[in-house]
Amino acid sequence: MSNDYLSQMATDIQVARQQATFPVEELTKTLYGGELILHVVQKLRAIMDKEPLLDRSQTNYMNREQMLHYSLVVHKRLMELVDEEDLSDLEFQGLVLLSELMSPLGLHYSAFIPVLQSQGTDEQVAKWVEPAKKLAIMGCYAQTELGHGSNVQGLRTTATLDTNTDEFIVHSPDLTAAKWWIGGLGIAATHCVLQAQLIIDGKSYGPHIFVVPVRSPVDRKPLQGVTVGDIGPKAYGGFSTVDNGFALFDHVRIPRENMLMRFAQVTRNGEYIRPVHDKLSYGSMVKLRVGMVADAGIKLGKAATIAIRYCTVRRQFHDTATKDGSKKDKLEQQVISYSSVKHRLFPLVAVSYALLFAGQSVGADFEKMTKQLLNQDASMLPEMHITTCSLKVWCTRRSTDGQEECRKAMGGHGYSQFSGVGQLFATAVPSNTYEGDNYVLCQQVGRALLKQLQVVSDGTKIESSNASYLNLLLSDIPHTPYKLNNPYHDILDPKIQENIFGLRAARLVADLGKQMKSGRPWSDVNMECWNVCFAHAEYNLVRQFNQRVAAVSAKTPSLAKAITQLANLFAISIITQSSMATFLSTGTLQSTDLDGIQAQFRQLLDQVAENAVPLTDAFGFTDRELTSALGSYDGRSYERLWEAVQKNPLNNEAGRKEIDAVLFDLLHHGNNLTLSSKL
Amino acid sequence: MSNDYLSQMATDIQVARQQATFPVEELTKTLYGGELILHVVQKLRAIMDKEPLLDRSQTNYMNREQMLHYSLVVHKRLMELVDEEDLSDLEFQGLVLLSELMSPLGLHYSAFIPVLQSQGTDEQVAKWVEPAKKLAIMGCYAQTELGHGSNVQGLRTTATLDTNTDEFIVHSPDLTAAKWWIGGLGIAATHCVLQAQLIIDGKSYGPHIFVVPVRSPVDRKPLQGVTVGDIGPKAYGGFSTVDNGFALFDHVRIPRENMLMRFAQVTRNGEYIRPVHDKLSYGSMVKLRVGMVADAGIKLGKAATIAIRYCTVRRQFHDTATKDGSKKDKLEQQVISYSSVKHRLFPLVAVSYALLFAGQSVGADFEKMTKQLLNQDASMLPEMHITTCSLKVWCTRRSTDGQEECRKAMGGHGYSQFSGVGQLFATAVPSNTYEGDNYVLCQQVGRALLKQLQVVSDGTKIESSNASYLNLLLSDIPHTPYKLNNPYHDILDPKIQENIFGLRAARLVADLGKQMKSGRPWSDVNMECWNVCFAHAEYNLVRQFNQRVAAVSAKTPSLAKAITQLANLFAISIITQSSMATFLSTGTLQSTDLDGIQAQFRQLLDQVAENAVPLTDAFGFTDRELTSALGSYDGRSYERLWEAVQKNPLNNEAGRKEIDAVLFDLLHHGNNLTLSSKL
């Protein structure tokens, strides 16, 4: 078998790497927040690369039972590695993260234990956390019910105090109160921390958290009064290794001490003691959303890496510019050179970078806030809440839409499981609806910004830095386009970008205020809130990206040009692609500005084209992490596809015994064999 | 277990049905093109509803091997039903279609046999088709290769004539020439009709079609020189019941008569005889895309039906308007009443209708063209090609984006496999890249419209009806907004809608022409072609929808109001949602028009809200067809979810034996049992 075409693919990716106009390792260091962290990550990656068990491509041919089993075996192996490689607790967490292990035990670590730690008294922490860390008990966090998700106050599971026995009676009044979607509950959990309406003497005190045993750690059978199980497969084959579960409670009795009482308490004689601070549980919600920003960036970065590598080595159609007889001797065009592919993929690389940078920045803010909260200072909380809500909405939507666009940009082969992108999207896409449905969160952003608008409308400058653009309204003559003398050049100025994005956001908030004043009810302006939320997020993302570029460029001048191009591509692609409508409809830009901005956009795409592969290499994803035949580092997509197919059990007779039987039945029916014998 | 909440759900959906402002059965009749067809469909649906085997929900817990087996068993059963129920050939096709059976035999019927029939000589048809119909042989259509999809001319499989033996030698020169993605080839096919470069005396004559045996009908083993198998799972678990396959040929010899010779021929002494007409194979490509329009409408209609039914019975949050103490006694708000849900779902119902109507209309045009082609009249072909290309791009993109939006609109539960929408999307989404990748097709649309633009630029009116909007350019003063005296009212005028959509499309085509004149190469204007393609499709969809509304209203006045609202919603949602940017950027509308148009949009949403459930009921989908716990006709979503979960094999000990073993191992490790015994 000749392999000129195949070796050309490896050549193409090498050539693309050699074009880099910046030092890739320097950018990687920046992305990982410094040499120290990068070093740890590289150490963990090396450990994992030695483990054949961690090659997730073997799950391609597994059914759900096998996948769940596989994920638990992997988890066990990771625990062994802690001893073998003498890893710290933090390194173990890094291992779980980098292995992308989602197992029935994932939420045990990320929710069950943290909730115990943050909501339990010192005695409760002492009692539960150590056994949990040793997996003597396995836990989950049971909040969502069949009938209630977004509306947490409406949860219907009850925990009623029985002062006679000093117990709570946990009960699900009907099917709608069944806990549902709870990761870890389906198969693994022996215990859950459960949100239930606290009821004392017939009076409800709202949702509180209780530790409720559900299965015996000895024989793993459900405890009396508990009906528990797995809720079945998820859409797109996502989260197959997680046992999202359900539970119904029929008057299940737990000791009063199983209520987590760090904040609110219930005494032996049934007295309810309110928490000192209402907002302290708030912080953990913010924390979850902080983590989602970088995660969305990583997932989109992986999809973009795969798509850009594959489109670099895939060639299709001869360049129509040369119509001479020599056509056949020439190589076909690289798919990455098509303008539609550039328009679709390169802005997504910029989005990945924007989200990774924003994730770091919002993470730092969160740490600052956490320290302040310890000193009873909750001043950062309202703004952090809005910032993280708007970022969560933006990053989950843009990242998952972008992942699917990457898959489409790979054409037919993108639809193979072996592209690896389908699996990313399948697991990422529910982030649009979990940790706060995006449309619900937008309303919170809208409501908060309306409050700030009120301040500005009263003629006062606001201090909030993330919504400071509202101050532009103090001098804004409505519907005057932002004055661009030379759109092609001006649009590259960070200050001008900030002004344009700020003005648009301000006008959308002002319009929301106007709509409310005109008498439209709050429930009618969901979509206005959606636009406001996106504009708010985009203002902050553009501003932060530019600030980060300035800082990085000062520190590492060799990166300046490449990341400046990327930041500009990010800002301008928002104007020319996803959000053009609101820039024009708010009168921030006028249609005559667009020619110049579009021309600059194309110019940037061509500049970024030189660095496309290096910019995705800089993410540092290993082949193991990408689990993609099409996006392997060496560019040998077709050979990798071929290898993946060889493992297909359907290609062995044993794997299709029953199938073959039906086919034989049909082929040998009646006088069919006589008919086919001549063909 | 009390069930007030559960019975409320059934009440909610009944109330929604009672609100209908039009006779649902009349609309159903219209959608199915008359009472006669509807009667047949209902007969087939009744037959299928009697067959428990056809309940596709049982595949929820199957692995791929089981699903493939299941689909073949179902196919066998459908063949039996033909005898039992005395069905015609056409009714059998209807059965396959309505059963949504995608099996390894699907393309045998829809591609293998039709290609034999249309490309084979009478002798070849006589020889192959009858055995094929009896399934004495099973076939597939092998075109795409690992290295070539869009560029059919670039296929690398060769069929070289050996005049000594009067045979062709079929050969794959290397891995990139492997046939890939071929439905039916992975497991089932004994034969394929194969696209290969015809080579005679060292000269290539381009791709031609050959019948090539690949497996023995006797023992189903691959024939000598053939390497064949299944290419593995697809993204999102889509097409699991189809055995997309690969094949490599190592100097496989077939008789010369196995080349299909209706058009081109190769004689015994190696002479090549050209076909009389080049374009005759063209028609079958057009036919495939014609079918995709209605199919996209049906799939989106199913997703919208499910989402609207579920959002009607799902209640979440108390109406914030009433903040009194009585809150708890009141029911929560129906999710369908949220303005964001209306904005997202109702326009998708309008899109479904638009696509169903457009599918009928383009289907009728196709029949007309087919008749003309028989009389050597190919005059309709160029316009039909562009119309179907632009519709194919638009309908696949909007339908699949819409399906996923329906899934998101259902919040958390939408991510359950049992929502049924994930499975729709998983199987529909590759339509964006097959039968012509959407971005490749857009370029064909752009190129064709540039030719028409040239005619107009020369001062001549064009006759093409679907691009007649280009004639507007003859009197268009550039960048003058369309004059709307009262946007709120004017936008409802079909004539004005046609003008606005026409003017926008014309200006986008004119701009494409301007860009080309300015020296930008063709390969640089992909995105301009994309916009042109969408504008072209939208112009025709809006016009056709309005025409259809006029015709239906005249015939069935009781439907007039409801479908007029729907047509208006379709047109206006394009302006206010997906395509606002190009209406503003081309200066067709101005931002000051938007307030009125948006107000009308909201008004229409409220009007359609009354009919939301009835409009989706009118599609006539059965519960079996929807296969959705959330979207069942009776509105009992939660109970259906509960039923579906009970079938989960993971909820039986036998189904999780291996999983339990690992969990025991961890729980009983070290002194864990001692630790857990106190908890």
Side-chain angles (χ1 to χ4, degrees):
Chain A
M1 226 180 245
S2 120
N3 61 2
D4 287 359
Y5 285 83
L6 300 176
S7 61
Q8 180 64 42
M9 299 171 85
T11 306
D12 284 339
I13 199 101
Q14 282 161 20
V15 169
R17 289 205 168 98
Q18 285 155 8
Q19 287 177 350
T21 69
F22 67 94
V24 173
E25 325 71 52
E26 285 300 324
L27 186 52
T28 304
K29 235 182 278 169
T30 303
L31 275 174
Y32 283 79
E35 207 145 3
L36 216 70
I37 303 177
L38 181 59
H39 184 73
V40 175
V41 170
Q42 281 168 341
K43 170 183 155 186
L44 297 176
R45 280 181 167 146
I47 291 173
M48 286 188 292
D49 278 350
K50 282 187 303 187
E51 297 284 322
L53 184 68
L54 294 184
D55 172 8
R56 280 178 303 131
S57 74
Q58 57 200 299
T59 63
N60 282 325
Y61 296 110
M62 289 183 183
N63 65 21
R64 201 161 159 243
E65 288 77 358
Q66 291 165 329
M67 288 178 88
L68 281 159
H69 176 256
Y70 168 77
S71 76
L72 287 166
V73 171
V74 170
H75 186 86
K76 228 181 118 188
R77 179 68 195 133
L78 294 187
M79 288 175 77
E80 289 164 9
L81 283 172
V82 172
D83 291 334
E84 291 176 21
E85 306 278 347
D86 196 21
L87 302 178
S88 69
D89 233 35
L90 213 66
E91 285 174 324
F92 175 64
Q93 284 174 38
L95 216 52
V96 171
L97 205 76
L98 287 168
S99 73
E100 280 173 284
L101 179 63
M102 299 198 306
S103 82
L105 296 171
L107 288 159
H108 172 80
Y109 295 98
S110 66
F112 181 68
I113 292 177
V115 167
L116 288 172
Q117 285 172 327
S118 62
Q119 312 268 327
T121 62
D122 292 349
E123 300 77 44
Q124 287 176 318
V125 172
K127 179 176 175 188
W128 300 100
V129 170
E130 206 46 36
K133 282 196 170 169
K134 292 196 166 155
L135 292 180
I137 59 173
M138 296 173 181
C140 62
Y141 177 68
Q143 177 172 309
T144 303
E145 295 176 357
L146 185 54
H148 286 94
S150 295
N151 182 10
V152 178
Q153 295 304 314
L155 293 175
R156 304 192 58 247
T157 304
T158 52
T160 308
L161 185 69
D162 180 348
T163 41
N164 294 329
T165 60
D166 200 25
E167 290 173 316
F168 287 110
I169 304 162
V170 177
H171 187 62
S172 321
D174 62 42
L175 182 60
T176 73
K179 293 294 171 186
W180 209 267
W181 280 108
I182 315 305
L185 181 59
I187 285 173
T190 61
H191 290 65
C192 61
V193 282
L194 177 108
Q195 286 271 15
Q197 301 285 352
L198 166 63
I199 295 178
I200 305 170
D201 268 346
K203 186 182 166 187
S204 173
Y205 291 83
H208 285 69
I209 298 181
F210 305 83
V211 180
V212 185
V214 289
R215 288 186 182 91
S216 154
V218 182
D219 63 10
R220 305 200 60 261
K221 297 217 187 298
L223 298 175
Q224 211 195 340
V226 180
T227 307
V228 62
D230 179 282
I231 65 162
K234 273 75 74 177
Y236 310 144
F239 278 93
S240 293
T241 52
V242 177
D243 58 333
N244 299 81
F246 64 87
L248 280 160
F249 299 94
D250 182 9
H251 299 93
V252 172
R253 287 178 169 267
I254 55 169
R256 182 178 53 86
E257 296 86 45
N258 279 25
M259 175 172 148
L260 294 183
M261 299 209 200
R262 174 172 289 269
F263 304 119
Q265 282 117 41
V266 173
T267 66
R268 175 64 188 94
N269 52 8
E271 191 195 350
Y272 178 74
I273 304 172
R274 308 207 148 272
V276 187
H277 283 289
D278 264 359
K279 290 179 181 163
L280 289 164
S281 63
Y282 222 77
S284 64
M285 243 166 55
V286 172
K287 188 183 179 181
L288 278 172
R289 290 181 195 138
V290 166
M292 291 175 85
V293 181
D295 188 54
I298 289 171
K299 290 210 166 74
L300 181 58
K302 286 183 180 171
T305 302
I306 292 168
I308 285 175
R309 285 182 184 168
Y310 172 67
C311 290
T312 299
V313 301
R314 169 84 169 177
R315 289 176 175 269
Q316 198 78 176
F317 287 114
H318 287 276
D319 191 341
T320 49
T322 52
K323 276 184 179 164
D324 56 20
S326 68
K327 201 171 106 170
K328 295 233 163 120
D329 306 323
K330 276 184 55 186
L331 288 166
E332 289 175 279
Q333 251 186 295
Q334 287 172 280
V335 169
I336 198 79
S337 70
Y338 298 168
S339 63
S340 59
V341 174
K342 292 183 201 170
H343 274 78
R344 294 154 78 196
L345 294 183
F346 298 165
L348 296 175
V349 177
V351 170
S352 309
Y353 274 85
L355 292 179
L356 289 172
F357 288 147
Q360 288 172 359
S361 147
V362 79
D365 287 348
F366 180 77
E367 276 183 38
K368 198 170 145 196
M369 181 181 84
T370 307
K371 277 178 198 150
Q372 291 186 0
L373 283 173
L374 287 174
N375 297 321
Q376 317 290 332
D377 174 3
S379 59
M380 280 181 75
L381 203 48
E383 175 145 350
M384 272 301 281
H385 175 58
I386 293 316
T387 302
T388 51
C389 281
S390 71
L391 280 178
K392 185 272 181 188
V393 172
W394 198 93
C395 78
T396 53
R397 182 69 190 225
R398 289 287 179 252
S399 172
T400 55
D401 281 358
Q403 290 162 42
E404 168 57 20
E405 196 63 36
C406 286
R407 199 194 59 69
K408 286 196 187 90
M410 292 191 281
H413 292 326
Y415 189 55
S416 168
Q417 169 88 347
F418 308 132
S419 85
V421 177
Q423 206 41 43
L424 280 169
F425 176 87
T427 296
V429 75
S431 63
N432 284 276
T433 45
Y434 67 53
E435 304 308 343
D437 179 89
N438 281 355
Y439 283 84
V440 175
L441 292 185
C442 277
Q443 293 186 59
Q444 300 193 22
V445 176
R447 211 185 275 279
L449 289 171
L450 278 182
K451 276 189 208 157
Q452 303 271 35
L453 175 70
Q454 192 52 53
V455 178
V456 176
S457 302
D458 295 343
T460 322
K461 271 201 168 190
I462 57 167
E463 286 176 30
S464 150
S465 107
N466 288 350
S468 59
Y469 57 81
L470 286 173
N471 292 328
L472 292 171
L473 292 172
L474 291 168
S475 59
D476 185 35
I477 305 160
H479 294 293
T480 307
Y482 189 85
K483 178 87 187 116
L484 291 171
N485 293 312
N486 180 336
Y488 178 84
H489 284 111
D490 293 355
I491 201 66
L492 296 182
D493 182 337
K495 194 70 208 155
I496 291 178
Q497 287 173 10
E498 187 179 331
N499 281 336
I500 292 176
F501 278 82
L503 195 61
R504 174 188 62 138
R507 287 178 177 180
L508 286 170
V509 177
D511 181 63
L512 176 61
K514 205 181 89 185
Q515 299 295 331
M516 296 303 296
K517 269 201 187 135
S518 79
R520 288 176 61 196
W522 179 247
S523 62
D524 196 39
V525 294
N526 292 173
M527 298 313 292
E528 283 80 357
C529 289
W530 179 260
N531 283 337
V532 159
C533 179
F534 271 69
H536 182 77
E538 286 165 1
Y539 168 79
N540 284 302
L541 285 166
V542 165
R543 202 176 48 149
Q544 278 172 6
F545 203 157
N546 285 331
Q547 283 168 355
R548 189 62 184 261
V549 162
V552 172
S553 301
K555 201 179 151 204
T556 319
S558 57
L559 295 176
K561 199 172 154 193
I563 62 168
T564 305
Q565 287 167 350
L566 211 53
N568 283 325
L569 186 65
F570 177 70
I572 298 177
S573 68
I574 292 172
I575 296 173
T576 57
Q577 296 183 325
S578 51
S579 294
M580 189 195 281
T582 49
F583 282 101
L584 294 173
S585 70
T586 55
T588 307
L589 293 174
Q590 44 191 338
S591 55
T592 47
D593 294 328
L594 293 177
D595 272 356
I597 297 175
Q598 300 268 24
Q600 183 58 259
F601 182 42
R602 291 194 298 269
Q603 166 88 8
L604 284 165
L605 288 173
D606 286 337
Q607 289 165 347
V608 170
E610 286 186 88
N611 285 325
V613 168
L615 282 169
T616 52
D617 281 350
F619 293 131
F621 302 127
T622 63
D623 277 354
R624 195 200 64 74
E625 286 166 352
L626 296 175
T627 323
S628 167
L630 298 185
S632 69
Y633 185 81
D634 65 7
R636 295 183 174 271
S637 309
Y638 297 156
E639 291 163 272
R640 300 270 170 268
L641 262 183
W642 180 251
E643 286 163 22
V645 164
Q646 300 321 304
K647 297 174 190 158
N648 190 345
L650 283 171
N651 293 335
N652 295 317
E653 274 180 41
R656 50 166 205 265
K657 227 170 125 183
E658 283 190 278
I659 297 168
D660 278 345
V662 189
L663 289 170
F664 272 122
D665 211 19
L666 294 166
L667 281 171
H668 297 181
H669 185 75
N671 69 337
N672 270 357
L673 278 179
T674 320
L675 286 173
S676 61
S677 65
K678 300 159 203 157
L679 307 169
Chain B
M1 223 180 248
S2 120
N3 61 2
D4 286 359
Y5 286 82
L6 300 177
S7 61
Q8 181 64 41
M9 299 171 87
T11 306
D12 284 338
I13 198 101
Q14 281 160 22
V15 169
R17 289 206 167 97
Q18 285 155 9
Q19 286 177 351
T21 69
F22 67 94
V24 174
E25 325 71 52
E26 285 300 322
L27 186 51
T28 305
K29 236 182 275 169
T30 302
L31 275 173
Y32 284 79
E35 205 145 2
L36 216 70
I37 303 177
L38 180 59
H39 184 74
V40 175
V41 170
Q42 282 168 339
K43 172 183 154 187
L44 297 177
R45 280 181 168 147
I47 291 172
M48 287 187 292
D49 277 350
K50 283 186 302 186
E51 297 285 322
L53 183 68
L54 294 185
D55 172 7
R56 280 177 303 133
S57 74
Q58 57 200 297
T59 63
N60 282 325
Y61 296 111
M62 289 182 184
N63 66 19
R64 205 166 153 238
E65 287 77 357
Q66 292 166 326
M67 288 179 88
L68 281 160
H69 176 255
Y70 168 76
S71 76
L72 287 166
V73 171
V74 170
H75 186 88
K76 226 180 121 189
R77 179 68 194 132
L78 293 186
M79 288 175 78
E80 290 164 8
L81 283 172
V82 173
D83 290 334
E84 290 176 23
E85 305 277 348
D86 197 19
L87 301 178
S88 69
D89 232 37
L90 212 68
E91 284 172 326
F92 174 63
Q93 285 174 37
L95 215 53
V96 171
L97 204 76
L98 287 167
S99 72
E100 281 173 282
L101 177 63
M102 298 197 309
S103 82
L105 295 172
L107 288 160
H108 172 80
Y109 295 99
S110 66
F112 181 69
I113 292 178
V115 167
L116 288 172
Q117 285 171 327
S118 63
Q119 313 268 328
T121 62
D122 292 349
E123 300 77 45
Q124 288 176 320
V125 172
K127 179 177 173 185
W128 300 101
V129 171
E130 206 47 36
K133 283 195 169 167
K134 291 193 166 156
L135 291 180
I137 59 174
M138 295 173 179
C140 63
Y141 178 67
Q143 177 172 308
T144 303
E145 296 175 358
L146 185 54
H148 286 95
S150 296
N151 182 9
V152 177
Q153 295 305 314
L155 294 175
R156 303 194 57 249
T157 304
T158 52
T160 307
L161 185 67
D162 180 348
T163 42
N164 295 327
T165 60
D166 200 24
E167 290 173 315
F168 286 109
I169 303 162
V170 176
H171 187 62
S172 320
D174 63 42
L175 183 60
T176 73
K179 293 294 170 185
W180 209 267
W181 280 108
I182 315 305
L185 180 59
I187 286 173
T190 61
H191 290 66
C192 61
V193 284
L194 176 110
Q195 285 271 15
Q197 301 285 352
L198 167 63
I199 295 178
I200 306 172
D201 268 345
K203 186 181 166 189
S204 173
Y205 291 84
H208 286 70
I209 300 181
F210 304 83
V211 180
V212 185
V214 288
R215 288 185 183 91
S216 153
V218 181
D219 62 12
R220 304 200 62 258
K221 297 222 187 297
L223 298 176
Q224 210 196 339
V226 181
T227 306
V228 62
D230 180 282
I231 65 163
K234 272 76 72 175
Y236 309 143
F239 278 94
S240 294
T241 52
V242 177
D243 58 332
N244 299 81
F246 65 86
L248 280 161
F249 300 93
D250 183 8
H251 299 94
V252 171
R253 289 179 168 265
I254 55 169
R256 180 177 52 87
E257 297 85 47
N258 278 25
M259 174 173 149
L260 294 182
M261 299 209 201
R262 174 172 289 269
F263 304 121
Q265 283 118 40
V266 173
T267 64
R268 175 63 188 92
N269 52 8
E271 191 195 351
Y272 178 74
I273 304 170
R274 309 206 149 272
V276 187
H277 283 290
D278 264 0
K279 289 178 179 163
L280 290 163
S281 63
Y282 222 76
S284 64
M285 244 165 56
V286 173
K287 189 183 177 179
L288 278 172
R289 291 180 194 139
V290 166
M292 292 174 84
V293 180
D295 188 55
I298 289 170
K299 292 212 166 71
L300 181 58
K302 285 182 179 171
T305 302
I306 291 167
I308 286 175
R309 285 181 184 167
Y310 172 67
C311 290
T312 299
V313 301
R314 170 84 169 176
R315 288 174 176 273
Q316 198 77 178
F317 287 114
H318 289 277
D319 190 342
T320 49
T322 53
K323 278 184 181 166
D324 57 20
S326 69
K327 204 171 100 167
K328 294 236 165 120
D329 306 324
K330 275 185 55 187
L331 288 167
E332 290 174 279
Q333 250 186 297
Q334 286 172 279
V335 169
I336 197 79
S337 70
Y338 297 167
S339 63
S340 59
V341 174
K342 292 182 200 170
H343 274 78
R344 294 154 77 196
L345 294 183
F346 298 165
L348 296 176
V349 177
V351 170
S352 309
Y353 274 84
L355 292 180
L356 289 172
F357 288 147
Q360 289 171 359
S361 146
V362 77
D365 287 348
F366 180 76
E367 276 183 37
K368 199 172 143 195
M369 181 182 82
T370 307
K371 276 178 198 151
Q372 291 185 1
L373 282 173
L374 287 174
N375 297 321
Q376 318 290 332
D377 174 3
S379 58
M380 281 180 75
L381 204 49
E383 176 145 349
M384 273 300 282
H385 175 58
I386 294 315
T387 302
T388 50
C389 280
S390 69
L391 280 177
K392 185 272 181 187
V393 172
W394 198 92
C395 78
T396 54
R397 183 69 191 225
R398 289 287 177 253
S399 172
T400 55
D401 281 358
Q403 290 162 42
E404 167 58 20
E405 196 63 37
C406 286
R407 198 194 59 69
K408 287 196 186 90
M410 292 190 281
H413 292 327
Y415 189 54
S416 167
Q417 169 87 347
F418 308 133
S419 85
V421 177
Q423 206 41 43
L424 279 171
F425 176 86
T427 295
V429 76
S431 63
N432 283 277
T433 44
Y434 67 54
E435 304 307 345
D437 179 89
N438 281 356
Y439 283 83
V440 175
L441 292 184
C442 277
Q443 294 187 57
Q444 299 192 22
V445 175
R447 211 185 273 280
L449 289 171
L450 278 182
K451 275 189 207 159
Q452 304 269 33
L453 176 70
Q454 193 51 52
V455 178
V456 176
S457 302
D458 294 344
T460 322
K461 271 200 166 189
I462 55 166
E463 287 177 25
S464 148
S465 106
N466 288 350
S468 59
Y469 57 79
L470 286 173
N471 292 326
L472 291 170
L473 293 172
L474 290 168
S475 59
D476 184 35
I477 305 160
H479 295 293
T480 307
Y482 189 86
K483 179 87 188 113
L484 292 171
N485 292 312
N486 180 334
Y488 179 83
H489 284 111
D490 294 354
I491 201 65
L492 295 181
D493 182 337
K495 193 70 208 156
I496 290 178
Q497 288 174 8
E498 188 179 329
N499 281 336
I500 292 176
F501 277 82
L503 195 60
R504 174 187 62 135
R507 286 177 177 180
L508 287 169
V509 177
D511 181 62
L512 176 60
K514 205 181 90 186
Q515 299 294 330
M516 293 304 296
K517 269 201 187 133
S518 80
R520 289 177 61 198
W522 180 247
S523 63
D524 196 40
V525 294
N526 293 172
M527 298 314 290
E528 284 79 358
C529 288
W530 179 260
N531 283 337
V532 158
C533 179
F534 272 70
H536 182 78
E538 285 165 0
Y539 169 79
N540 284 301
L541 285 165
V542 165
R543 202 176 48 148
Q544 278 172 6
F545 203 157
N546 284 332
Q547 283 167 356
R548 190 62 184 262
V549 162
V552 172
S553 301
K555 200 178 151 203
T556 319
S558 57
L559 295 177
K561 200 173 153 191
I563 61 168
T564 304
Q565 287 167 350
L566 210 53
N568 283 324
L569 186 65
F570 177 70
I572 297 175
S573 68
I574 291 173
I575 295 172
T576 57
Q577 296 183 324
S578 52
S579 293
M580 187 195 280
T582 49
F583 282 101
L584 294 173
S585 69
T586 55
T588 306
L589 293 173
Q590 44 191 338
S591 54
T592 46
D593 295 328
L594 293 176
D595 271 356
I597 297 175
Q598 301 266 24
Q600 183 59 258
F601 182 42
R602 292 194 296 270
Q603 166 86 9
L604 283 165
L605 288 173
D606 286 339
Q607 289 164 346
V608 170
E610 286 186 90
N611 285 325
V613 168
L615 282 169
T616 51
D617 281 352
F619 292 132
F621 301 127
T622 63
D623 277 354
R624 194 200 64 74
E625 286 166 351
L626 295 176
T627 323
S628 167
L630 298 185
S632 69
Y633 186 81
D634 64 9
R636 294 182 174 272
S637 308
Y638 297 156
E639 291 163 273
R640 300 271 170 270
L641 261 183
W642 180 251
E643 286 163 21
V645 164
Q646 300 320 302
K647 297 174 190 156
N648 190 346
L650 283 171
N651 293 335
N652 296 317
E653 275 180 42
R656 47 165 207 266
K657 230 170 122 180
E658 284 189 277
I659 298 169
D660 278 346
V662 189
L663 290 170
F664 272 121
D665 210 21
L666 294 166
L667 281 171
H668 297 181
H669 185 76
N671 70 336
N672 270 357
L673 278 178
T674 320
L675 287 173
S676 62
S677 64
K678 302 158 202 158
L679 308 170

